[in-house]
């Protein structure tokens, strides 16, 4: 089944990036949020991104206008009844996600693919609350979505080959490179990335080097685009902590244990760029 009509539930940083990329790639895209102000903020982010792309000569005015026609928003989940795929990009908590999958299973026709952008929660549990387990998968994008080439397609033991094939085609049309991973904590990227970020925090806690020097070491010594503290601020300290907790629960080994400093920073609301302060201060920028 070729995907044409795309639904995106959640229009935060990741959801708006996915909706933007889907509309830009020619898909009829419908996006929703829990409130009008949040929906407006997400839609403004997308319009801002297109304006920037136009000013850089990456999009013509005609292309921007065509994208705008392809992207619509609604506050009514019932409008998702005609979608070929619905991508869940809501708050990273299990209960709201399970409730949404139950709702989407009731609203959409049985052929609609239901996928989650979760970075840590088990896809299997979302599949289990639906009557279409073969059509449920993970579709994990990376931040910033319009730029990052990778998408992890996460399959449970019941995700069908036809679903994986449709998702592969869909993500390739979006200009992404998909990889396939089993439904295990952290999938591929976070299972490798999170212990690296946690090790950097522990290294700093132990006084081996300053945050700036650890960042410079990894950026200049390995050509990573960002050092681990800059990247953790970029991803969000809460997201990093949450992913670490999920991976640690499945693999209770010291490398995956969240460091005390990370917990304390999250407790203080220093979540990274999004709150203006994380390991570094962004309030002036
Ligand atoms: N939206 C759209 N475009 C963006 C963007 C955004 N949010 N951020 C940057 N860009 C574009 C810029 O416009 C620029 O385009 P041009 O070259 O055409 O002008 C290009 O990307 C490069 O950006 P910059 O020149 O501003 O800066 P940069 O070269 O330092 O790149 C970066 C910025 C792409 C974010 C780069 O630093 C990077 O790749 N960082 C690592 C990001 C990463 O690892 N992400 C994964 C995090 S893990 C995750 O997301 C999963 C999870 O579950 C936790």
């Amino acid at each position: 089944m070729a995907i044409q009509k795309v639904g995106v539930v959640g229009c935060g940083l990741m959801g708006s990036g996915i909706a933007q990329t889907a509309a830009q790639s020619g898909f009829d895209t419908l996006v929703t949020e829990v409130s009008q102000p949040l929906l407006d903020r997400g839609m403004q982010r997308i319009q801002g991104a297109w304006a920037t792309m136009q000013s850089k000569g990456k999009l013509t005015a005609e292309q921007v206008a065509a994208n705008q026609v392809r992207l619509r928003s609604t506050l009514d989940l019932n409008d998702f009844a005609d979608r070929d795929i619905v991508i869940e990009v809501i708050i990273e908590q299990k209960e709201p996600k399970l409730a949404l999958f139950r709702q989407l299973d009731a609203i959409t026709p049985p052929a609609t693919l239901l996928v989650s952008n979760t970075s840590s929660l088990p896809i299997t549990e979302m599949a289990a609350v639906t009557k279409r387990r073969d059509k449920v998968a993970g579709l994990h994008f990376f931040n910033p979505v319009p730029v990052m080439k990778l998408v992890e397609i996460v399959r449970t033991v019941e995700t069908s080959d036809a679903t994986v094939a449709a998702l592969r085609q869909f993500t390739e049309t979006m200009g992404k490179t998909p990889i396939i991973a089993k439904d295990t904590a952290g999938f591929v990227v976070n299972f490798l990335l999170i212990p690296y970020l946690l090790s950097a925090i522990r290294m700093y806690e132990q006084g081996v080097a300053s945050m700036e020097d650890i960042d410079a070491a990894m950026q200049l010594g390995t050509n990573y685009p960002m050092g681990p503290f800059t990247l953790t601020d970029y991803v969000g300290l809460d997201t990093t902590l949450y992913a670490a907790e999920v991976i640690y629960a499945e693999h209770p080994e010291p490398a995956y244990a969240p460091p005390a400093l990370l917990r304390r920073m999250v407790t203080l609301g220093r979540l990274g760029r999004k709150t203006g302060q994380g390991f570094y201060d962004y309030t002036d920028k």
Side-chain angles (χ1 to χ4, degrees), residues 199-211 214 229 261:
S199 295
I201 298 168
R202 269 189 275 274
M203 181 180 266
Y204 170 71
E205 281 179 321
Q206 289 160 7
V208 174
S210 68
M211 283 190 281
I214 296 171
F229 292 97
L261 178 61

Side-chain angles (χ1 to χ4, degrees), residues 9-273:
V9 182
C11 201
L13 205 58
M14 295 299 285
S16 62
I18 294 169
Q20 175 193 329
T21 311
Q24 261 169 239
S25 308
F27 293 102
D28 171 333
T29 307
L30 183 64
V31 65
T32 188
E33 251 297 350
V34 287
S35 70
Q36 192 65 51
L38 286 177
L39 191 55
D40 290 344
R41 200 188 303 169
M43 291 295 279
Q44 278 159 16
R45 196 178 300 119
I46 298 172
Q47 298 300 343
W50 284 336
T52 306
M53 289 172 80
Q54 189 183 338
S55 70
K56 286 184 180 176
K58 287 185 186 173
L59 288 178
T60 63
E62 292 72 31
Q63 285 170 321
V64 171
N67 290 345
Q68 286 166 338
V69 170
R70 280 192 289 265
L71 179 67
R72 288 175 301 121
S73 66
T74 178
L75 282 177
D76 186 357
L77 206 57
N78 291 308
D79 292 341
F80 282 62
D82 68 345
R83 300 290 101 184
D84 299 319
I85 183 171
V86 181
I87 308 170
E88 171 278 309
V89 204
I90 66 168
I91 186 168
E92 197 70 341
Q93 287 173 8
K94 193 194 289 187
E95 285 314 320
K97 284 191 197 281
L98 296 185
L100 177 63
F101 268 77
R102 278 190 201 98
Q103 262 182 299
L104 291 171
D105 194 41
I107 290 168
T108 59
T112 301
L113 304 184
L114 302 181
V115 301
S116 171
N117 179 59
T118 184
S119 54
S120 1
L121 290 160
I123 305 300
T124 305
E125 293 193 29
M126 299 175 216
V129 300
T130 72
K131 295 185 188 70
R132 62 183 88 191
R133 295 171 172 195
D134 59 319
K135 296 192 177 61
V136 177
L139 203 63
H140 185 212
F141 290 82
F142 292 81
N143 184 20
V145 177
V147 177
M148 303 300 282
K149 290 286 175 207
L150 183 72
V151 178
E152 292 177 313
I153 297 175
V154 182
R155 61 185 306 173
T156 73
V157 290
E158 294 198 8
T159 307
S160 70
D161 291 343
T163 296
V164 172
L167 293 175
R168 189 187 279 281
Q169 192 186 14
F170 172 59
T171 51
E172 284 174 353
T173 306
M174 288 173 93
K176 304 298 181 197
T177 300
I179 62 131
I180 316 288
K182 285 186 189 167
D183 184 24
T184 55
F187 315 135
V188 172
V189 171
N190 279 344
F191 191 68
L192 295 173
L193 178 65
I194 296 294
Y196 156 69
L197 299 178
L198 302 183
S199 295
I201 298 168
R202 269 189 275 274
M203 181 180 266
Y204 170 71
E205 281 179 321
Q206 289 160 7
V208 174
S210 68
M211 283 190 281
E212 290 81 0
D213 280 359
I214 296 171
D215 269 359
M218 294 312 291
Q219 209 180 349
L220 304 179
T222 65
N223 263 358
Y224 285 12
M226 292 173 164
F229 292 97
T230 308
L231 182 56
T232 307
D233 278 352
Y234 192 72
V235 167
L237 274 66
D238 51 344
T239 306
T240 305
L241 176 60
Y242 197 66
E245 282 170 338
V246 169
I247 299 173
Y248 186 62
E250 204 163 295
H251 301 272
E253 294 160 27
Y256 307 115
L261 178 61
L262 180 62
R263 285 191 190 285
R264 296 200 170 118
M265 302 272 287
V266 171
T267 304
L268 289 172
R270 293 177 61 144
L271 306 184
R273 281 194 194 200

